[in-house]
Short mmCIF file of all heavy atoms in Angstrom, two decimals:
data_model
loop_
_atom_site.label_atom_id
_atom_site.label_comp_id
_atom_site.label_asym_id
_atom_site.label_seq_id
_atom_site.Cartn_x
_atom_site.Cartn_y
_atom_site.Cartn_z
N MET A 1 23.39 8.02 -12.43
CA MET A 1 22.53 7.84 -11.28
C MET A 1 21.09 8.19 -11.66
O MET A 1 20.86 9.07 -12.47
CB MET A 1 23.01 8.70 -10.12
CG MET A 1 24.39 8.27 -9.64
SD MET A 1 25.03 8.99 -8.12
CE MET A 1 23.68 9.09 -7.05
N PHE A 2 20.17 7.49 -11.01
CA PHE A 2 18.75 7.67 -11.28
C PHE A 2 18.03 8.02 -9.98
O PHE A 2 18.28 7.40 -8.95
CB PHE A 2 18.15 6.39 -11.87
CG PHE A 2 18.79 5.98 -13.16
CD1 PHE A 2 19.90 5.16 -13.18
CD2 PHE A 2 18.29 6.45 -14.36
CE1 PHE A 2 20.50 4.79 -14.36
CE2 PHE A 2 18.88 6.08 -15.56
CZ PHE A 2 20.00 5.25 -15.55
N LYS A 3 17.14 8.99 -10.04
CA LYS A 3 16.38 9.43 -8.87
C LYS A 3 14.91 9.07 -9.09
O LYS A 3 14.36 9.32 -10.17
CB LYS A 3 16.52 10.93 -8.68
CG LYS A 3 15.90 11.45 -7.39
CD LYS A 3 15.89 12.96 -7.29
CE LYS A 3 17.26 13.56 -7.31
NZ LYS A 3 17.23 15.01 -7.05
N TYR A 4 14.29 8.49 -8.07
CA TYR A 4 12.90 8.04 -8.16
C TYR A 4 12.07 8.54 -6.99
O TYR A 4 12.56 8.63 -5.86
CB TYR A 4 12.82 6.51 -8.16
CG TYR A 4 13.42 5.86 -9.37
CD1 TYR A 4 14.73 5.41 -9.36
CD2 TYR A 4 12.67 5.68 -10.53
CE1 TYR A 4 15.30 4.82 -10.47
CE2 TYR A 4 13.22 5.09 -11.64
CZ TYR A 4 14.53 4.66 -11.61
OH TYR A 4 15.08 4.07 -12.72
N PHE A 5 10.81 8.84 -7.26
CA PHE A 5 9.80 9.07 -6.24
C PHE A 5 9.08 7.74 -6.08
O PHE A 5 8.60 7.16 -7.07
CB PHE A 5 8.82 10.16 -6.68
CG PHE A 5 7.69 10.36 -5.71
CD1 PHE A 5 7.86 11.13 -4.57
CD2 PHE A 5 6.45 9.78 -5.93
CE1 PHE A 5 6.82 11.32 -3.68
CE2 PHE A 5 5.41 9.96 -5.04
CZ PHE A 5 5.59 10.73 -3.91
N VAL A 6 9.01 7.21 -4.86
CA VAL A 6 8.45 5.89 -4.60
C VAL A 6 7.28 6.00 -3.63
O VAL A 6 7.41 6.59 -2.56
CB VAL A 6 9.53 4.95 -4.01
CG1 VAL A 6 8.95 3.57 -3.76
CG2 VAL A 6 10.75 4.88 -4.91
N SER A 7 6.12 5.43 -4.01
CA SER A 7 4.96 5.35 -3.12
C SER A 7 4.83 3.92 -2.64
O SER A 7 5.01 2.98 -3.41
CB SER A 7 3.68 5.73 -3.86
OG SER A 7 3.73 7.07 -4.27
N TYR A 8 4.49 3.76 -1.36
CA TYR A 8 4.39 2.41 -0.81
C TYR A 8 3.36 2.35 0.30
O TYR A 8 2.91 3.35 0.84
CB TYR A 8 5.76 1.95 -0.28
CG TYR A 8 6.37 2.84 0.77
CD1 TYR A 8 6.10 2.65 2.12
CD2 TYR A 8 7.23 3.88 0.43
CE1 TYR A 8 6.66 3.47 3.10
CE2 TYR A 8 7.78 4.70 1.38
CZ TYR A 8 7.50 4.49 2.71
OH TYR A 8 8.05 5.31 3.67
N VAL A 9 2.98 1.13 0.61
CA VAL A 9 2.12 0.84 1.75
C VAL A 9 2.92 -0.08 2.67
O VAL A 9 3.78 -0.83 2.21
CB VAL A 9 0.78 0.18 1.29
CG1 VAL A 9 1.00 -1.14 0.62
CG2 VAL A 9 -0.20 0.06 2.44
N TYR A 10 2.69 0.04 3.97
CA TYR A 10 3.36 -0.83 4.94
C TYR A 10 2.37 -1.18 6.04
O TYR A 10 1.20 -0.81 5.95
CB TYR A 10 4.65 -0.19 5.47
CG TYR A 10 4.46 1.06 6.31
CD1 TYR A 10 4.64 1.03 7.68
CD2 TYR A 10 4.11 2.27 5.72
CE1 TYR A 10 4.49 2.18 8.44
CE2 TYR A 10 3.95 3.41 6.47
CZ TYR A 10 4.14 3.37 7.83
OH TYR A 10 3.98 4.49 8.58
N ASN A 11 2.84 -1.91 7.04
CA ASN A 11 1.92 -2.47 8.03
C ASN A 11 1.12 -1.44 8.82
O ASN A 11 0.12 -1.78 9.43
CB ASN A 11 2.65 -3.42 8.98
CG ASN A 11 3.71 -2.72 9.82
OD1 ASN A 11 4.28 -1.71 9.41
ND2 ASN A 11 4.02 -3.27 10.97
N LYS A 12 1.52 -0.16 8.81
CA LYS A 12 0.79 0.85 9.57
C LYS A 12 0.25 2.00 8.72
O LYS A 12 -0.16 3.01 9.25
CB LYS A 12 1.68 1.41 10.68
CG LYS A 12 1.99 0.38 11.75
CD LYS A 12 2.71 0.98 12.91
CE LYS A 12 2.98 -0.09 13.96
NZ LYS A 12 3.66 0.43 15.12
N GLY A 13 0.30 1.85 7.40
CA GLY A 13 -0.25 2.92 6.56
C GLY A 13 0.48 3.07 5.24
O GLY A 13 1.03 2.11 4.70
N PHE A 14 0.50 4.30 4.76
CA PHE A 14 1.09 4.61 3.47
C PHE A 14 2.29 5.53 3.66
O PHE A 14 2.40 6.22 4.67
CB PHE A 14 0.06 5.33 2.57
CG PHE A 14 -1.09 4.46 2.18
CD1 PHE A 14 -2.21 4.36 2.99
CD2 PHE A 14 -1.06 3.75 0.99
CE1 PHE A 14 -3.28 3.56 2.62
CE2 PHE A 14 -2.12 2.95 0.61
CZ PHE A 14 -3.23 2.85 1.44
N GLY A 15 3.16 5.56 2.66
CA GLY A 15 4.30 6.45 2.71
C GLY A 15 4.85 6.70 1.32
O GLY A 15 4.42 6.09 0.34
N ASN A 16 5.79 7.63 1.26
CA ASN A 16 6.49 7.89 0.01
C ASN A 16 7.89 8.36 0.34
O ASN A 16 8.15 8.82 1.45
CB ASN A 16 5.73 8.90 -0.86
CG ASN A 16 5.52 10.21 -0.17
OD1 ASN A 16 6.47 10.93 0.13
ND2 ASN A 16 4.28 10.54 0.11
N SER A 17 8.77 8.21 -0.63
CA SER A 17 10.15 8.62 -0.41
C SER A 17 10.82 8.87 -1.75
O SER A 17 10.29 8.53 -2.81
CB SER A 17 10.92 7.56 0.37
OG SER A 17 11.06 6.39 -0.37
N GLU A 18 11.98 9.47 -1.67
CA GLU A 18 12.82 9.66 -2.83
C GLU A 18 14.00 8.73 -2.67
O GLU A 18 14.55 8.61 -1.57
CB GLU A 18 13.29 11.11 -2.88
CG GLU A 18 14.21 11.42 -4.03
CD GLU A 18 14.64 12.88 -4.01
OE1 GLU A 18 13.84 13.73 -4.38
OE2 GLU A 18 15.79 13.11 -3.60
N THR A 19 14.36 8.03 -3.72
CA THR A 19 15.50 7.13 -3.66
C THR A 19 16.40 7.35 -4.87
O THR A 19 15.92 7.69 -5.94
CB THR A 19 15.06 5.65 -3.56
OG1 THR A 19 16.20 4.84 -3.31
CG2 THR A 19 14.36 5.19 -4.81
N VAL A 20 17.68 7.20 -4.66
CA VAL A 20 18.67 7.36 -5.73
C VAL A 20 19.37 6.02 -5.91
O VAL A 20 19.79 5.39 -4.94
CB VAL A 20 19.69 8.46 -5.38
CG1 VAL A 20 20.75 8.57 -6.47
CG2 VAL A 20 18.99 9.80 -5.19
N THR A 21 19.47 5.58 -7.16
CA THR A 21 20.12 4.31 -7.47
C THR A 21 21.19 4.54 -8.53
O THR A 21 21.18 5.55 -9.23
CB THR A 21 19.12 3.27 -8.01
OG1 THR A 21 18.60 3.73 -9.26
CG2 THR A 21 17.98 3.04 -7.04
N ASN A 22 22.07 3.57 -8.65
CA ASN A 22 23.08 3.60 -9.71
C ASN A 22 22.58 2.90 -10.96
O ASN A 22 23.33 2.75 -11.93
CB ASN A 22 24.37 2.90 -9.24
CG ASN A 22 25.05 3.67 -8.14
OD1 ASN A 22 25.01 4.90 -8.12
ND2 ASN A 22 25.67 2.97 -7.22
N TYR A 23 21.34 2.46 -10.94
CA TYR A 23 20.78 1.68 -12.04
C TYR A 23 19.34 2.12 -12.32
O TYR A 23 18.67 2.67 -11.45
CB TYR A 23 20.79 0.18 -11.68
CG TYR A 23 20.15 -0.11 -10.34
CD1 TYR A 23 18.78 -0.31 -10.23
CD2 TYR A 23 20.92 -0.17 -9.18
CE1 TYR A 23 18.19 -0.56 -9.00
CE2 TYR A 23 20.34 -0.41 -7.94
CZ TYR A 23 18.98 -0.61 -7.87
OH TYR A 23 18.40 -0.85 -6.65
N LYS A 24 18.90 1.88 -13.53
CA LYS A 24 17.52 2.13 -13.90
C LYS A 24 16.69 0.94 -13.41
O LYS A 24 17.10 -0.21 -13.59
CB LYS A 24 17.39 2.27 -15.41
CG LYS A 24 16.05 2.73 -15.87
CD LYS A 24 16.08 3.06 -17.35
CE LYS A 24 14.74 3.55 -17.80
NZ LYS A 24 14.67 5.00 -17.86
N ILE A 25 15.56 1.19 -12.78
CA ILE A 25 14.71 0.10 -12.30
C ILE A 25 14.13 -0.62 -13.50
O ILE A 25 13.42 -0.02 -14.32
CB ILE A 25 13.57 0.63 -11.39
CG1 ILE A 25 14.14 1.30 -10.15
CG2 ILE A 25 12.62 -0.50 -11.01
CD1 ILE A 25 13.10 1.99 -9.29
N GLN A 26 14.44 -1.92 -13.61
CA GLN A 26 13.97 -2.70 -14.74
C GLN A 26 13.44 -4.08 -14.36
O GLN A 26 12.71 -4.69 -15.14
CB GLN A 26 15.09 -2.88 -15.77
CG GLN A 26 15.54 -1.57 -16.37
CD GLN A 26 16.64 -1.75 -17.40
OE1 GLN A 26 17.38 -2.72 -17.38
NE2 GLN A 26 16.72 -0.81 -18.32
N THR A 27 13.81 -4.58 -13.20
CA THR A 27 13.43 -5.94 -12.82
C THR A 27 12.79 -5.96 -11.44
O THR A 27 12.90 -5.02 -10.65
CB THR A 27 14.66 -6.87 -12.79
OG1 THR A 27 15.53 -6.46 -11.73
CG2 THR A 27 15.42 -6.84 -14.12
N PHE A 28 12.17 -7.09 -11.14
CA PHE A 28 11.59 -7.29 -9.81
C PHE A 28 12.70 -7.26 -8.76
O PHE A 28 12.49 -6.75 -7.65
CB PHE A 28 10.84 -8.61 -9.74
CG PHE A 28 10.22 -8.87 -8.39
CD1 PHE A 28 9.09 -8.18 -8.00
CD2 PHE A 28 10.79 -9.77 -7.52
CE1 PHE A 28 8.54 -8.38 -6.75
CE2 PHE A 28 10.24 -9.99 -6.27
CZ PHE A 28 9.11 -9.30 -5.88
N LYS A 29 13.87 -7.77 -9.09
CA LYS A 29 15.00 -7.75 -8.17
C LYS A 29 15.37 -6.31 -7.78
O LYS A 29 15.69 -6.04 -6.63
CB LYS A 29 16.20 -8.45 -8.80
CG LYS A 29 17.39 -8.56 -7.91
CD LYS A 29 18.53 -9.31 -8.60
CE LYS A 29 19.76 -9.34 -7.73
NZ LYS A 29 20.88 -10.01 -8.38
N ASP A 30 15.30 -5.39 -8.75
CA ASP A 30 15.56 -3.97 -8.47
C ASP A 30 14.54 -3.41 -7.48
O ASP A 30 14.89 -2.70 -6.54
CB ASP A 30 15.53 -3.15 -9.76
CG ASP A 30 16.57 -3.56 -10.77
OD1 ASP A 30 17.59 -4.18 -10.40
OD2 ASP A 30 16.37 -3.27 -11.98
N ILE A 31 13.28 -3.74 -7.70
CA ILE A 31 12.21 -3.27 -6.82
C ILE A 31 12.37 -3.86 -5.42
O ILE A 31 12.21 -3.17 -4.41
CB ILE A 31 10.82 -3.60 -7.41
CG1 ILE A 31 10.62 -2.83 -8.71
CG2 ILE A 31 9.70 -3.30 -6.41
CD1 ILE A 31 9.43 -3.26 -9.51
N LYS A 32 12.71 -5.14 -5.35
CA LYS A 32 12.91 -5.80 -4.06
C LYS A 32 14.05 -5.14 -3.28
O LYS A 32 13.95 -4.93 -2.07
CB LYS A 32 13.21 -7.29 -4.29
CG LYS A 32 13.37 -8.09 -3.04
CD LYS A 32 12.07 -8.20 -2.28
CE LYS A 32 12.25 -9.14 -1.10
NZ LYS A 32 11.21 -8.95 -0.11
N SER A 33 15.10 -4.75 -3.98
CA SER A 33 16.23 -4.08 -3.35
C SER A 33 15.81 -2.74 -2.74
O SER A 33 16.19 -2.41 -1.62
CB SER A 33 17.35 -3.87 -4.38
OG SER A 33 18.40 -3.14 -3.83
N ILE A 34 15.00 -1.99 -3.46
CA ILE A 34 14.51 -0.71 -2.97
C ILE A 34 13.56 -0.92 -1.78
O ILE A 34 13.61 -0.19 -0.79
CB ILE A 34 13.84 0.09 -4.09
CG1 ILE A 34 14.91 0.49 -5.12
CG2 ILE A 34 13.11 1.31 -3.56
CD1 ILE A 34 14.37 1.04 -6.40
N THR A 35 12.72 -1.95 -1.87
CA THR A 35 11.81 -2.29 -0.76
C THR A 35 12.60 -2.56 0.51
O THR A 35 12.26 -2.04 1.59
CB THR A 35 10.97 -3.53 -1.13
OG1 THR A 35 10.19 -3.24 -2.28
CG2 THR A 35 10.06 -3.95 0.01
N GLU A 36 13.64 -3.36 0.40
CA GLU A 36 14.46 -3.70 1.57
C GLU A 36 15.14 -2.46 2.14
O GLU A 36 15.25 -2.31 3.36
CB GLU A 36 15.48 -4.77 1.20
CG GLU A 36 14.84 -6.11 0.91
CD GLU A 36 15.78 -7.12 0.27
OE1 GLU A 36 16.94 -6.75 -0.08
OE2 GLU A 36 15.36 -8.28 0.10
N LYS A 37 15.58 -1.56 1.28
CA LYS A 37 16.23 -0.32 1.73
C LYS A 37 15.24 0.56 2.49
O LYS A 37 15.56 1.12 3.53
CB LYS A 37 16.81 0.41 0.52
CG LYS A 37 17.53 1.68 0.85
CD LYS A 37 18.89 1.39 1.45
CE LYS A 37 19.68 2.67 1.54
NZ LYS A 37 20.50 2.74 2.72
N ILE A 38 14.02 0.68 1.99
CA ILE A 38 12.98 1.47 2.66
C ILE A 38 12.68 0.88 4.03
O ILE A 38 12.56 1.59 5.02
CB ILE A 38 11.70 1.57 1.80
CG1 ILE A 38 11.97 2.43 0.56
CG2 ILE A 38 10.53 2.12 2.60
CD1 ILE A 38 10.86 2.39 -0.48
N GLU A 39 12.54 -0.45 4.10
CA GLU A 39 12.26 -1.11 5.38
C GLU A 39 13.39 -0.86 6.38
O GLU A 39 13.14 -0.56 7.54
CB GLU A 39 12.08 -2.62 5.16
CG GLU A 39 10.78 -2.98 4.50
CD GLU A 39 10.61 -4.46 4.23
OE1 GLU A 39 11.62 -5.19 4.14
OE2 GLU A 39 9.45 -4.88 4.10
N GLU A 40 14.61 -0.98 5.90
CA GLU A 40 15.78 -0.80 6.78
C GLU A 40 15.91 0.65 7.25
O GLU A 40 16.06 0.91 8.44
CB GLU A 40 17.04 -1.20 6.01
CG GLU A 40 18.32 -1.08 6.81
CD GLU A 40 19.52 -1.46 5.97
OE1 GLU A 40 19.51 -2.55 5.38
OE2 GLU A 40 20.46 -0.65 5.91
N ASP A 41 15.83 1.60 6.32
CA ASP A 41 16.01 3.01 6.66
C ASP A 41 14.90 3.55 7.55
O ASP A 41 15.14 4.38 8.42
CB ASP A 41 16.12 3.87 5.40
CG ASP A 41 17.41 3.65 4.63
OD1 ASP A 41 18.32 2.97 5.15
OD2 ASP A 41 17.50 4.15 3.49
N GLY A 42 13.67 3.10 7.31
CA GLY A 42 12.53 3.62 8.06
C GLY A 42 12.10 2.74 9.22
O GLY A 42 11.10 3.04 9.88
N ASN A 43 12.82 1.63 9.44
CA ASN A 43 12.43 0.67 10.47
C ASN A 43 10.97 0.27 10.30
O ASN A 43 10.18 0.31 11.24
CB ASN A 43 12.70 1.23 11.87
CG ASN A 43 12.66 0.15 12.93
OD1 ASN A 43 12.92 -1.01 12.64
ND2 ASN A 43 12.32 0.54 14.15
N LEU A 44 10.61 -0.08 9.05
CA LEU A 44 9.24 -0.45 8.69
C LEU A 44 9.16 -1.94 8.39
O LEU A 44 10.17 -2.57 8.10
CB LEU A 44 8.79 0.34 7.46
CG LEU A 44 8.90 1.85 7.54
CD1 LEU A 44 8.54 2.48 6.21
CD2 LEU A 44 8.03 2.40 8.64
N LYS A 45 7.94 -2.47 8.43
CA LYS A 45 7.72 -3.88 8.10
C LYS A 45 6.67 -3.99 7.01
O LYS A 45 5.78 -3.16 6.88
CB LYS A 45 7.25 -4.65 9.33
CG LYS A 45 8.29 -4.76 10.41
CD LYS A 45 7.79 -5.61 11.55
CE LYS A 45 8.87 -5.70 12.61
NZ LYS A 45 8.51 -6.60 13.69
N ASP A 46 6.79 -5.05 6.22
CA ASP A 46 5.80 -5.40 5.19
C ASP A 46 5.60 -4.29 4.16
O ASP A 46 4.47 -3.99 3.77
CB ASP A 46 4.47 -5.76 5.84
CG ASP A 46 4.58 -6.90 6.82
OD1 ASP A 46 5.39 -7.82 6.56
OD2 ASP A 46 3.89 -6.88 7.86
N VAL A 47 6.70 -3.69 3.70
CA VAL A 47 6.60 -2.64 2.69
C VAL A 47 6.25 -3.27 1.34
O VAL A 47 6.81 -4.28 0.94
CB VAL A 47 7.93 -1.85 2.58
CG1 VAL A 47 7.93 -0.95 1.36
CG2 VAL A 47 8.16 -1.04 3.85
N LEU A 48 5.30 -2.65 0.65
CA LEU A 48 4.91 -3.05 -0.69
C LEU A 48 4.91 -1.79 -1.55
O LEU A 48 4.14 -0.85 -1.28
CB LEU A 48 3.51 -3.68 -0.69
CG LEU A 48 2.93 -4.03 -2.05
CD1 LEU A 48 3.74 -5.12 -2.73
CD2 LEU A 48 1.48 -4.45 -1.90
N ILE A 49 5.77 -1.75 -2.54
CA ILE A 49 5.85 -0.59 -3.42
C ILE A 49 4.63 -0.58 -4.33
O ILE A 49 4.33 -1.57 -5.01
CB ILE A 49 7.16 -0.58 -4.23
CG1 ILE A 49 8.33 -0.35 -3.27
CG2 ILE A 49 7.12 0.49 -5.32
CD1 ILE A 49 9.69 -0.36 -3.92
N LEU A 50 3.92 0.54 -4.34
CA LEU A 50 2.74 0.70 -5.17
C LEU A 50 3.08 1.28 -6.53
O LEU A 50 2.49 0.90 -7.54
CB LEU A 50 1.72 1.61 -4.47
CG LEU A 50 1.21 1.12 -3.12
CD1 LEU A 50 0.35 2.20 -2.48
CD2 LEU A 50 0.44 -0.17 -3.28
N ASN A 51 4.04 2.22 -6.54
CA ASN A 51 4.40 2.89 -7.79
C ASN A 51 5.74 3.59 -7.61
O ASN A 51 6.14 3.93 -6.49
CB ASN A 51 3.33 3.93 -8.15
CG ASN A 51 3.42 4.39 -9.58
OD1 ASN A 51 4.04 3.75 -10.42
ND2 ASN A 51 2.81 5.52 -9.87
N PHE A 52 6.43 3.80 -8.71
CA PHE A 52 7.64 4.60 -8.71
C PHE A 52 7.70 5.40 -10.00
O PHE A 52 7.21 4.96 -11.04
CB PHE A 52 8.90 3.74 -8.54
CG PHE A 52 9.11 2.71 -9.63
CD1 PHE A 52 9.82 3.02 -10.77
CD2 PHE A 52 8.60 1.44 -9.49
CE1 PHE A 52 10.02 2.08 -11.76
CE2 PHE A 52 8.78 0.48 -10.47
CZ PHE A 52 9.50 0.81 -11.61
N ILE A 53 8.25 6.61 -9.89
CA ILE A 53 8.36 7.52 -11.04
C ILE A 53 9.77 8.07 -11.07
O ILE A 53 10.27 8.57 -10.06
CB ILE A 53 7.36 8.69 -10.91
CG1 ILE A 53 5.93 8.17 -10.84
CG2 ILE A 53 7.53 9.67 -12.06
CD1 ILE A 53 4.92 9.24 -10.45
N GLU A 54 10.41 7.94 -12.22
CA GLU A 54 11.75 8.53 -12.35
C GLU A 54 11.63 10.05 -12.39
O GLU A 54 10.80 10.59 -13.12
CB GLU A 54 12.43 8.03 -13.61
CG GLU A 54 13.86 8.53 -13.73
CD GLU A 54 14.60 8.02 -14.95
OE1 GLU A 54 14.04 7.20 -15.70
OE2 GLU A 54 15.74 8.46 -15.16
N LEU A 55 12.43 10.71 -11.57
CA LEU A 55 12.45 12.16 -11.52
C LEU A 55 13.54 12.68 -12.47
O LEU A 55 14.65 12.17 -12.45
CB LEU A 55 12.70 12.65 -10.10
CG LEU A 55 11.66 12.19 -9.06
CD1 LEU A 55 12.12 12.59 -7.66
CD2 LEU A 55 10.32 12.79 -9.35
N LYS A 56 13.22 13.64 -13.24
CA LYS A 56 14.16 14.22 -14.19
C LYS A 56 14.93 15.36 -13.53
O LYS A 56 14.54 15.88 -12.52
CB LYS A 56 13.44 14.74 -15.43
CG LYS A 56 12.60 13.70 -16.14
CD LYS A 56 13.45 12.62 -16.74
CE LYS A 56 12.58 11.63 -17.48
NZ LYS A 56 13.31 10.50 -17.97
N GLY A 57 16.02 15.75 -14.14
CA GLY A 57 16.79 16.87 -13.63
C GLY A 57 18.13 16.40 -13.12
O GLY A 57 18.56 15.27 -13.37
N LYS A 58 18.80 17.26 -12.37
CA LYS A 58 20.11 16.92 -11.84
C LYS A 58 20.00 15.80 -10.83
O LYS A 58 19.12 15.78 -10.00
CB LYS A 58 20.75 18.15 -11.19
CG LYS A 58 21.11 19.22 -12.17
CD LYS A 58 21.83 20.35 -11.47
CE LYS A 58 22.21 21.42 -12.49
NZ LYS A 58 22.95 22.50 -11.88
N LYS A 59 20.97 14.91 -10.91
CA LYS A 59 20.96 13.75 -10.00
C LYS A 59 22.20 13.74 -9.18
O LYS A 59 23.23 14.14 -9.50
CB LYS A 59 20.83 12.46 -10.80
CG LYS A 59 19.51 12.43 -11.53
CD LYS A 59 19.48 11.29 -12.51
CE LYS A 59 18.14 11.20 -13.14
NZ LYS A 59 17.95 11.81 -14.35
#
């Protein structure tokens, strides 16, 4: 499992979150999947991921 800190912008401002995946982010499809999850979980629209950083340590 991989843990990431994700920064994003959406239709009403900026935000950040921590997300855990079963895969290492490597493709646009991976980023799109995380974008959709953030929109769904936060009831947000027009999310655009600005940056993500893999967090080290226990996952």
Side-chain angles (χ1 to χ4, degrees):
M1 296 189 39
F2 300 89
K3 187 187 298 186
Y4 293 94
F5 175 82
V6 181
S7 296
Y8 58 89
V9 63
Y10 66 107
N11 64 333
K12 293 187 179 181
F14 294 87
N16 58 65
S17 67
E18 178 180 284
T19 188
V20 178
T21 65
N22 292 327
Y23 52 86
K24 189 171 181 98
I25 298 173
Q26 296 181 336
T27 67
F28 180 75
K29 184 178 176 182
D30 298 338
I31 295 169
K32 183 68 174 161
S33 175
I34 293 168
T35 299
E36 291 168 354
K37 181 75 170 144
I38 291 170
E39 287 178 337
E40 181 181 308
D41 290 350
N43 195 27
L44 305 175
K45 293 184 180 185
D46 302 324
V47 169
L48 175 65
I49 292 179
L50 300 173
N51 196 18
F52 61 89
I53 300 169
E54 184 178 356
L55 300 173
K56 304 293 182 186
K58 292 185 179 182
K59 297 170 176 95

